[in-house]
């Protein structure tokens, strides 16, 4: 089967000009490459854990990306783990007195880290451990840290520093984001950095892998995570999975001093409607501008995009104009008639059929047959059936049966009757078809 | 006008708004630069007013053959003209490649050749020549309005002569004419009625044809010989009305009648008869009369080429008016038409007796072979086939009746399928020629 199918194929490819497929040689490798790159990017984006996910590094989640095993390990070492779901609550919990505590920030992109970095926001002696903050998150803070570079995936490196926690843990999967400044407290090729500001010790970790349930058992991940968080007797675990809104009246003494009290209610209203509160708090002077320009779509995209779109529209318009002008309009001429000569006849036939005029059709056929037989036998035009039968040497009853009696009730009977008429004519005249 | 290159140039400028600090200014800049370039291009493009067009080539072609026409373009302006040119013909002219690219120096002239393979007979017109003068950058061009183009186009008409498929049976019919000539000599008085020449008696000649008076003068027995009549008149009447427009097989019925009329004309011209032509529907379309034997035939073919069916009822009283004029001599009138009931009974029948009294009339109708085929039932017939056969029988019966009626009015009726039609008409003519019936 395959051989018979494959044999004619070369013939067709030979006859076809080669030029038609030449572009394929260029297009196919690029298309394959493009598909591979696009597919890889999509798979990578899908596989990365999402900070919006409620399971992500949550102390109560036992999913693969959760952090329950870490929390259990800490509790096993006698550390109190307090889960807070907002920055405000976390700050309240940190400032509630007692011994120095560790604030564990799992989602710095979503949590309001700017507030954490304010002067005197946290009591002295506090440790802050931040998981994989990008430059966007770091730039909102006042911490003397910057992100230097990132990797496609997390790499395992040795500690390469004198930090006791890191050396105790050994090689760990931390190296994805790297931070500057590189100083003596910088471990794991710049992925674990500890700085001190205003009496608060800030540690940034380059990847979330050491804290995850499914990666805790690999290398020295568990030891590193536990070591980082068990320096104090209490850990406040900030478990935020939505972009933080501006806190309203805080019960604590750390009232934000930059915001005037009279603007607070309006801002809080707009914030509760889940607009973009971070931008509003940072740049409150933009509000009057947005009121005078009510179209949010125009502001949503840069004007370069609109300009490019306008130019594209102009180019397409020019293309349409160029294509519209023809080199000479089509020439018209009257066409000859397409009506076939026998159209009326076929129309008659269909009318007979639609009206089921079996008797009428058969009568026409019988009359034609009688004329032919009469002409063939040389009889006068008004010869009777008996005369016909006698001259043709046939049985009178049979001829009468075929040419006069028996009208059909069904189409099948009509067909057999018509065939009988035709056969009778052929037998008597010995001639087929029209003899005129 | 702008070309596609203009649009492409705009598209090349697409990244600029994103790259430059002032996007809207960048858009304006791109637009300005491209527009200025196009404007310069348009100004440099050569003027169309200086072009002179003339045409030469074939004037006539047989249907099925290929003709060529040559268009000469001359640049009389003082500037270089880069020209795209389209030589438009009507679709049925079957023009090959109609687009041409030219580059004309000042005062130079170039020719472009258009090959034509017409699909229908008749006059095929050159519709218009559209020149387009491009600039050196190809961003803009000059092209005038359609009316201007039609004004500068040199008129040209290609006359396509009708297909003549009966040409292949022509030698056979001509041989029969020669046999006719010879048979008269052998059989003495035979069928010819016209005195030809005196010659010596040879044994076997009919004694009745001995010319005694001439024998007395010559001291020898001399016989008269006869030949068929010459200089008889054959009058071909072509019906170009609605019944000639319908399709028999794959061609209009008129094509079959033109073919038969051509064969008859060639035969009659070879047999030294005079052939006249009249084409009519609601009015007289073409009339070819008079002229010598040899000049007549090309004129007839030319006249038949221009015939086209008209969707009107044929007025046969016009025919009566033409043929019953007092100065008409007796002629063989061959009416090429269709044997449809209504036009025959209401149109031709009233004038037929008077025509037949003055002339010998043949009514020749082209038959549709499909009717006879449908009248007999197929092998595995169904009810629809029976009804079709009944309808076909009805048509055949009506045609027989028309034939009888026309016969009774004094006309000879030729009723044949399209493929044998010309041959049958020619046979009737030859028979009349042989029996001296003209």
């Amino acid at each position: 089967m395959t051989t018979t199918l494959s044999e004619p194929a070369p013939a067709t490819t030979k006859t076809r000009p080669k030029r038609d497929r030449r572009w394929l040689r260029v297009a196919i490798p690029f298309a394959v490459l493009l598909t591979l790159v696009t597919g890889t990017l999509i798979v990578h984006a899908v596989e990365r854990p999402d900070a919006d996910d409620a399971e992500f590094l949550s102390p109560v989640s036992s999913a693969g990306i959760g952090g329950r095993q870490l929390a259990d390990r800490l509790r096993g070492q006698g550390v109190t783990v307090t889960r807070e779901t907002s920055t405000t609550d976390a700050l309240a919990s940190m400032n509630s007195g007692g011994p120095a505590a560790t604030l564990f920030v799992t989602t710095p992109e979503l949590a309001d880290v700017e507030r954490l970095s304010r002067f005197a926001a946290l009591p002295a002696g506090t440790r802050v451990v931040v998981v994989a903050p990008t430059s966007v998150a770091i730039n909102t803070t006042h911490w003397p840290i910057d992100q230097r570079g990132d990797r496609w995936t997390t790499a395992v490196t040795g500690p390469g520093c004198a930090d006791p926690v890191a050396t105790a843990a050994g090689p760990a999967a931390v190296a994805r984001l790297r931070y500057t400044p590189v100083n003596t407290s910088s471990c794991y090729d710049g992925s674990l950095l500890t700085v001190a500001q205003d009496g608060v010790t800030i540690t940034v970790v380059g990847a979330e892998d050491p804290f995850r349930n499914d990666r805790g058992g690999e290398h020295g991940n568990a030891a590193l995570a536990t070591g980082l968080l068990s320096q104090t007797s209490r850990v406040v675990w900030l478990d935020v999975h939505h972009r933080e809104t501006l806190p309203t009246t805080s019960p604590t003494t750390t009232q934000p001093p930059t915001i005037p009290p009279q603007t607070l209610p309006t801002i809080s209203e707009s914030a509760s409607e889940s607009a973009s509160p971070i931008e509003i708090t940072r740049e409150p002077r933009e509000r009057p501008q947005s009121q005078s320009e009510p179209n949010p779509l125009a502001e949503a995209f840069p004007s370069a995009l609109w300009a490019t779109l306008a130019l594209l529209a102009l180019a397409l318009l020019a293309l349409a104009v160029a294509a519209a002008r023809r080199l000479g309009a089509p020439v018209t001429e009257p066409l000859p008639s397409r009506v076939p000569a026998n159209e009326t006849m076929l129309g008659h036939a269909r009318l007979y059929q639609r009206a089921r005029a079996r008797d009428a059709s058969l009568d026409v056929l019988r009359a034609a047959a009688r004329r032919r037989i009469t002409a063939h036998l040389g009889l006068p035009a008004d010869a009777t059936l008996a005369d016909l039968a006698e001259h043709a040497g046939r049985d009178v009853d049979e001829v009468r049966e075929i040419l006069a009696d028996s009208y059909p009730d069904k189409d099948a009977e009509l067909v057999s009757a018509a065939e009988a008429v035709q056969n009778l004519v052929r037998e008597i005249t010995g001639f087929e078809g029209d003899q005129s | 006008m702008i070309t596609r290159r203009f649009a492409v140039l705009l598209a090349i400028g697409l990244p600029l708004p994103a790259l430059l600090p002032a996007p809207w200014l960048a858009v304006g800049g791109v637009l300005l630069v491209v527009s200025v370039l196009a404007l310069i291009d348009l100004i440099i493009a050569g003027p169309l007013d200086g072009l002179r067009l003339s045409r030469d080539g074939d004037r006539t072609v047989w249907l099925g053959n290929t003709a060529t026409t040559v268009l000469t373009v001359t640049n009389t302006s003082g500037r270089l003209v880069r020209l795209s040119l389209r030589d438009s013909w009507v679709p049925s002219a079957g023009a090959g490649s109609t687009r041409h690219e030219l580059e004309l120096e000042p005062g130079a002239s170039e020719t472009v050749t258009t090959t034509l393979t017409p699909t229908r007979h008749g006059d095929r017109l050159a519709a218009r020549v559209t020149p387009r003068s491009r600039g050196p950058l190809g961003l803009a061009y000059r092209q005038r309005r359609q009316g201007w183009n039609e004004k500068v186009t040199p008129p040209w008409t290609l006359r396509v002569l009708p297909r003549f498929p009966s040409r292949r049976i022509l030698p056979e019919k001509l041989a029969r004419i020669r046999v006719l000539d010879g048979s008269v000599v052998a059989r003495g008085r035979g069928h010819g009625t016209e005195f030809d020449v005196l010659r010596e008696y040879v044994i076997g000649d009919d004694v009745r044809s001995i010319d005694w008076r001439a024998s007395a003068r010559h001291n020898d027995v001399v016989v008269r010989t006869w030949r068929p009549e010459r200089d008889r008149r054959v009058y071909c009447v072509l019906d170009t009305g609605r019944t000639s427009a319908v399709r028999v097989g794959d061609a209009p019925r008129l094509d079959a009648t033109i073919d038969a009329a051509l064969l008859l004309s060639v035969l009659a011209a070879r047999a030294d008869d005079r052939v006249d032509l009249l084409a009519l529907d609601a009015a007289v379309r073409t009339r070819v009369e008079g002229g010598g034997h040899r000049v007549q035939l090309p004129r007839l073919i030319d006249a038949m080429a221009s015939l086209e069916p008209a969707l009107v009822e044929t007025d046969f009283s016009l025919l009566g008016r033409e043929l019953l004029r007092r100065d008409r001599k007796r002629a063989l009138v061959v009416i090429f038409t269709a044997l449809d009931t209504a036009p025959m009974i209401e149109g031709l029948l009233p004038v037929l007796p008077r025509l037949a009294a003055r002339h010998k009339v043949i009514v020749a109708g082209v038959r549709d072979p499909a009717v006879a085929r449908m009248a007999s039932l197929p092998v595995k017939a169904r009810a629809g086939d029976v009804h079709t056969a009944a309808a076909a029988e009805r048509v055949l019966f009506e045609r027989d009746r028309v034939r009888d009626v026309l016969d009774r009015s004094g006309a000879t009726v030729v009723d044949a399928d399209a493929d044998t039609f010309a041959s049958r008409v020619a046979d009737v003519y030859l028979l009349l020629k042989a029996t001296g019936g003209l």
Side-chain angles (χ1 to χ4, degrees), chain A residues 347-399:
Chain A
H348 261 134
R350 276 186 219 120
L351 277 177
Y352 284 147
Q353 191 173 8
R354 180 70 63 85
R356 295 195 179 82
R358 289 184 279 263
D359 296 356
S361 286
L362 199 57
D363 277 342
V364 170
L365 289 177
R366 282 172 171 169
R370 270 181 87 155
R371 270 200 312 281
R372 290 221 181 103
I373 295 170
T374 315
H376 181 77
L377 297 176
L379 296 172
D382 53 352
T384 60
L385 284 175
D387 291 343
L388 284 184
E390 190 186 334
H391 280 80
R394 310 279 294 218
D395 184 27
V396 179
D397 289 339
E398 182 203 349
V399 171

Side-chain angles (χ1 to χ4, degrees), chain B residues 148-269:
Chain B
W148 186 86
N149 290 328
E150 275 164 8
K151 214 169 63 189
V152 300
T153 304
W156 195 263
T157 307
L158 181 71
R159 172 144 293 187
V160 184
L161 303 178
R163 209 184 287 274
F164 188 15
S166 303
R167 216 171 345 188
R168 64 194 159 76
I169 58 169
L170 188 61
E172 181 235 326
K173 305 289 176 195
L174 288 176
R176 282 174 58 185
I177 285 187
R178 284 195 291 274
V179 169
L180 218 60
D181 280 336
S183 72
V184 173
V185 177
R187 282 190 283 145
R189 294 177 78 90
H191 295 287
T193 56
E194 207 170 273
F195 174 71
D196 186 18
V197 75
L198 289 169
R199 64 168 172 78
E200 283 184 11
Y201 175 82
V202 291
I203 296 170
D205 277 348
D206 191 347
V207 292
R208 282 177 298 177
S209 59
I210 295 174
D211 188 338
W212 295 109
R213 206 176 292 178
S215 301
R217 279 202 295 275
H218 279 81
N219 285 334
D220 200 354
V221 184
V222 173
V223 291
R224 286 182 193 183
T225 57
W226 307 87
R227 62 172 196 187
E229 310 92 326
R230 291 188 183 175
D231 291 325
R232 301 290 131 166
R233 293 179 177 275
V234 177
Y235 210 96
C236 295
V237 178
L238 283 172
D239 173 9
T240 61
R242 65 173 176 87
T243 55
S244 72
V246 296
R247 300 210 149 226
V248 175
D250 198 32
R253 182 178 265 150
L254 186 64
D255 283 12
T257 59
I258 284 178
D259 177 42
L262 266 177
L263 182 69
L264 180 62
S265 305
V266 173
L267 280 180

Side-chain angles (χ1 to χ4, degrees), chain B residues 103-123:
Chain B
E103 198 161 316
L104 291 170
E105 298 286 343
S109 68
E110 268 193 58
T111 58
V112 294
T113 308
T114 306
T115 57
L116 304 162
T117 312
T119 55
R120 298 212 302 271
H121 70 81
D123 288 343

